[in-house]
Amino acid sequence: TYMGYGILTIFGYLRDFLRQWNIEKCHVAREREEQKDFVPLYQDFENFYTRNLYMRIRDNWNRPICSVPGAKMDLVQRVSYNYNWTFEHTGKVVKDVINMGSYNYLGFAENTGACADAAIEVTQQYGVGVGSTRCEMGNLGIHEELEQLVARFLGVESSMAFGMGFATNSMNIPALTGKGCLILSDELNHASLVLGARLSGSTIRVFKHNNMQSLEKLLRDAIVHGQPRTHRPWKKILIVVEGIYSMEGSIVRLPEIIALKKRYKAYLYLDEAHSIGALGPNGRGVVDYFGLDPKDVDIMMGTFTKSFGAAGGYIGGRKELIDYLRRHSHSALYATSMSPPVAQQIITSMKIIMGEDGATLGADRLRQLSENTTYFRRKLHDMGFIIYGNDDSPVVPMMLYMPAKIGAFGREMMKRNIGTVVVGFPATPIIESRARFCISAAHTSEMLDTVGHACSCPKNKIHDFIHISLKNPFKGHQPAFVECFEEPLFPSLEKPALAISQTMESEKRSGGR
């Protein structure tokens, strides 16, 4: 993997050299000749990765979707004639692409049903926009109803809703901590948490992912040594973690963190963006999953953008905390109120999850999500793939490692009408590139079988299979790979060595590799 990145880097410098001497056409934004003596606007080296690595496989991202992002979706077809620098739409639509990338955990991203009907009704009553902040003229009755429902759903005293999930973290953490405070952050926390911690002006120390020994050591050091130079006690120590980590699929070790928090008198900020609605017997997130008391978490944060099929975020906790945020949070004071139909989408979907619609649809979706997650994870594991995360996590990262496989996997899956998310550096460590599947209650077992079959079916990579077989004949690979070919790849599975020899001889005669 390192060698692959090394080769790409060498060729990147070579192409930059060719661009500098106008041998290769340069598509990069740069200063005009008459501006060459100005302070540079574009730092070439900072954009090296984007220019020479990301641009080669940019067709795997930013695909326009022209339908509801449900279990299946429609994509606008596009082509590039200059190696992904620009794209043109062909006017065609790729129909019924299996959607394995959206965070539609409970399948509420739909334009029919109870949620859609309720949102239409509210749109006719309130319109789609408010045009003001909550503290001015933008506080509607539907916002009050939403916050009361969220508090009841979480099992806390009070809650507050925000129009943007990212801003819920980045704008509220600075209101909770400041200079003289210490933030202990998991090394894999989301960018919104990192930004909020930096904006707060607090001292930030990072502990290893889900490592309780690392966290306890930082807590002990903070208590013993206090603030740098002055050694005064910290005004506040805030532990910041997530419920499910979106790139790892791992679930936070919440019981142990709560025990440490109580022992060292710290505060806990829990981001449940991916776990609320997707974990626990009642869909109430990681607290429900472990059977803990919500009062043990000081600040409960989450988003409505995933399990609820809507937008925005919330913070729940004690009434004193929420009242304080209403007066001091930048997101509360300056951001426009949540759109009324979005608020109604959340209310309706949350009531379905809670069973207050008088039916069992919410419980059925929660059970279906759990079954789909277990089934798909076991299927990939049995095929011999390396997957990360907890067995109950609907986020399923499948490791690709090598940079060349990032683009190749995304394109091959797209050829089979499967939309996947492939991720590499800098979103992941440089040697841990991966494909990330997000399981939904809307997926059927047939869809998951199709995806698993496609993952194990590299028809144009026969030599890869022969290499694996020669190294370790048929151990964990044979069934998944052989069934992909229209004709048997090997005439006799009883004698793999003879079969491999015959296949290689036939390829030599036919001029193949």
Side-chain angles (χ1 to χ4, degrees):
T1 302
Y2 279 126
M3 185 171 65
Y5 276 105
I7 292 171
L8 286 171
T9 302
I10 291 171
F11 273 88
Y13 279 114
L14 175 62
R15 298 188 72 177
D16 278 353
F17 175 79
L18 297 177
R19 294 183 186 118
Q20 185 177 356
W21 291 95
N22 295 322
I23 299 174
E24 179 179 331
K25 186 176 180 180
C26 182
H27 298 274
V28 183
R30 55 167 58 179
E31 290 85 2
R32 296 173 181 170
E33 186 64 28
E34 57 269 25
Q35 297 173 322
K36 64 181 181 180
D37 295 327
F38 293 3
V39 176
L41 295 174
Y42 306 100
Q43 299 293 331
D44 278 346
F45 184 75
E46 291 180 6
N47 297 324
F48 180 86
Y49 178 88
T50 302
R51 188 169 59 248
N52 294 300
L53 280 77
Y54 166 73
M55 203 60 68
R56 298 164 68 106
I57 55 175
R58 193 162 72 104
D59 54 298
N60 285 285
W61 295 281
N62 309 315
R63 293 190 179 112
I65 298 174
C66 56
S67 70
V68 173
K72 289 188 176 182
M73 58 186 176
D74 299 337
L75 300 182
V76 176
Q77 191 180 69
R78 56 181 187 166
V79 294
S80 177
Y81 299 104
N82 54 6
Y83 303 100
N84 292 340
W85 286 98
T86 60
F87 292 97
E88 294 180 13
H89 295 165
T90 64
K92 298 179 181 178
V93 174
V94 183
K95 295 280 189 180
D96 294 329
V97 177
I98 298 177
N99 182 6
M100 297 299 295
S102 295
Y103 305 130
N104 183 26
Y105 296 129
L106 293 180
F108 283 116
E110 51 194 1
N111 54 8
T112 58
C115 292
D117 295 340
I120 292 171
E121 185 178 339
V122 167
T123 302
Q124 293 171 345
Q125 179 182 355
Y126 289 104
V128 294
V130 179
S132 180
T133 62
R134 290 286 298 276
C135 61
E136 292 173 328
M137 300 294 291
N139 190 32
L140 305 180
I142 196 169
H143 295 138
E144 300 280 348
E145 180 186 354
L146 170 62
E147 291 175 345
Q148 292 172 10
L149 180 63
V150 170
R152 190 154 51 86
F153 180 64
L154 298 175
V156 296
E157 293 180 8
S158 183
S159 74
M160 185 174 183
F162 303 88
M164 181 181 178
F166 191 98
T168 305
N169 280 330
S170 60
M171 293 290 100
N172 283 294
I173 293 178
L176 297 171
T177 65
K179 190 175 181 182
C181 298
L182 174 65
I183 293 178
L184 302 180
S185 176
D186 190 291
E187 65 179 345
L188 297 183
N189 274 344
H190 190 262
S192 59
L193 294 169
V194 174
L195 178 61
R198 290 174 177 172
L199 290 174
S200 71
S202 305
T203 301
I204 305 170
R205 291 176 185 165
V206 178
F207 62 92
K208 294 179 181 178
H209 175 56
N210 250 351
N211 189 316
M212 297 303 104
Q213 290 76 23
S214 175
L215 174 58
E216 185 169 16
K217 184 178 185 305
L218 289 179
L219 283 167
R220 283 179 177 176
D221 290 346
I223 299 297
V224 172
H225 300 294
Q227 299 184 41
R229 294 188 298 276
T230 64
H231 299 293
R232 293 176 180 172
W234 294 99
K235 295 178 181 178
K236 194 183 299 177
I237 299 176
L238 182 66
I239 302 170
V240 180
V241 294
E242 294 186 47
I244 294 179
Y245 291 83
S246 60
M247 285 297 171
E248 302 297 314
S250 54
I251 298 175
V252 66
R253 295 164 64 178
L254 190 60
E256 297 168 69
I257 289 179
I258 288 178
L260 289 175
K261 166 219 146 181
K262 290 180 176 180
R263 184 184 305 167
Y264 293 97
K265 310 299 182 188
Y267 294 94
L268 176 58
Y269 187 107
L270 175 63
D271 178 346
E272 291 215 81
H274 289 269
S275 55
I276 192 68
L279 276 185
N282 303 300
R284 293 174 181 173
V286 71
V287 176
D288 185 31
Y289 176 75
F290 286 109
L292 302 172
D293 187 349
K295 295 178 181 177
D296 288 335
V297 180
D298 301 286
I299 304 106
M300 298 184 71
M301 177 270 169
T303 60
F304 303 119
T305 57
K306 292 143 179 103
S307 296
F308 305 96
Y314 67 83
I315 284 185
R318 295 174 59 189
K319 188 176 185 304
E320 293 84 355
L321 166 72
I322 303 304
D323 290 344
Y324 175 84
L325 288 177
R326 291 188 194 279
R327 298 190 303 270
H328 294 86
S329 169
H330 286 80
S331 189
L333 295 172
Y334 300 110
T336 305
S337 301
M338 181 184 288
S339 173
V342 173
Q344 185 59 51
Q345 165 78 17
I346 302 164
I347 291 171
T348 308
S349 59
M350 191 171 289
K351 285 184 176 180
I352 291 174
I353 296 171
M354 297 170 71
E356 294 186 2
D357 60 335
T360 61
L361 180 59
D364 293 342
R365 294 196 185 206
L366 289 168
R367 185 182 62 256
Q368 188 64 52
L369 174 63
S370 178
E371 291 176 358
N372 286 352
T373 298
T374 303
Y375 177 77
F376 189 70
R377 278 185 168 273
R378 185 183 296 123
K379 188 176 186 66
L380 291 184
H381 183 270
D382 291 345
M383 288 178 177
F385 292 108
I386 300 173
I387 56 175
Y388 277 8
N390 188 282
D391 289 342
D392 295 320
S393 169
V395 179
V396 186
M398 188 181 83
M399 305 310 294
L400 301 175
Y401 297 109
M402 297 180 65
K405 290 183 180 179
I406 301 174
F409 184 84
R411 290 164 182 158
E412 287 298 316
M413 295 295 276
M414 195 63 228
K415 288 178 183 176
R416 293 162 172 80
N417 252 33
I418 301 170
T420 59
V421 173
V422 285
V423 193
F425 180 81
T428 67
I430 195 166
I431 60 168
E432 293 186 11
S433 301
R434 65 198 66 177
R436 185 186 64 181
F437 302 103
C438 292
I439 309 303
S440 170
H443 289 140
T444 63
S445 58
E446 289 77 14
M447 293 179 189
L448 299 179
D449 287 339
T450 301
V451 176
H453 185 266
C455 290
S456 65
C457 185
K459 291 188 179 182
N460 57 342
K461 300 286 188 297
I462 299 178
H463 64 286
D464 285 354
F465 175 65
I466 293 176
H467 171 73
I468 292 169
S469 300
L470 285 168
K471 186 177 179 182
N472 195 357
F474 299 109
K475 185 177 180 181
H477 295 279
Q478 180 268 327
F481 279 83
V482 170
E483 66 181 4
C484 300
F485 299 92
E486 286 79 0
E487 297 179 2
L489 180 61
F490 300 112
S492 172
L493 298 183
E494 300 294 329
K495 300 177 181 179
L498 176 62
I500 293 169
S501 174
Q502 292 174 349
T503 303
M504 295 177 73
E505 285 297 323
S506 64
E507 287 222 345
K508 286 179 182 178
R509 288 195 296 272
S510 62
R513 289 178 293 179

